[in-house]
Amino acid sequence: AFLDLTGPTEFEGVWKATATLPCAYVPAEDFVQQTLTWSVVHDQGSGTVFRRDVSGDHVLLAEYRGRVSAFKDIPGNVSLHILNLEISDRGIYTCKVTWRAKNNSQIVKEISTKVNVVKVAVTKPIIMVSELGLTVPPGARTSLTCVASGSPPISYRWFRSTLGGQALLLSSQAELAWDSVQPSDAGRYYCEAQNR
């Protein structure tokens, strides 16, 4: 139908992941989008999450700052993008659009989506294996990076095997870097990934 908003009545997002709440309409020549607001009602109360008007885009609720944006590049697509979904984000989200017609009259439409946030089945980290063995000229900058899939947050540790078979802890970062690698750095290194 004419300038009707479309989107799901229910939406399930994954905790700590990125979610896109769909809201869209088919643009009509004689109608110009004036404002877009996304509001929420949840346990912590209610309020306007996001507003787009002639002055630009505004995120109005502090807990969403730096985490939400609305689509801009596709005419009629006003879906809301939420980064790093929190359990507290669940609630009823309303997408509301106001258009102005050539005769200056206004049309307002809105749709609501119930959002649930689920914690996915917890999975152990699995380290993605890159090529084994690395040959580097002396004095070069180089690094080893550990990447694992699994439930966040994931912590990393890098070790070096010593002659006595002991493991020497070198770093608690995902990346182990050398500014100037020396022949004495040659050896066997391994990484450990851990989550809750």
Side-chain angles (χ1 to χ4, degrees), residues 70-92:
F71 279 57
K72 223 184 191 133
D73 301 332
I74 307 153
N77 186 346
V78 288
S79 302
L80 187 72
H81 201 57
I82 308 177
L83 300 174
N84 204 9
L85 211 57
E86 297 291 351
I87 299 294
S88 58
D89 289 340
R90 60 184 169 207
I92 310 240

Side-chain angles (χ1 to χ4, degrees), residues 11-21 67 82-87 89 115-122 151-152:
F11 179 90
E12 193 164 83
V14 175
W15 180 56
K16 295 290 180 197
T18 296
T20 299
L21 302 189
R67 290 199 300 129
I82 308 177
L83 300 174
N84 204 9
L85 211 57
E86 297 291 351
I87 299 294
D89 289 340
V115 173
N116 195 20
V117 180
V118 293
K119 287 192 176 184
V120 280
V122 177
S151 304

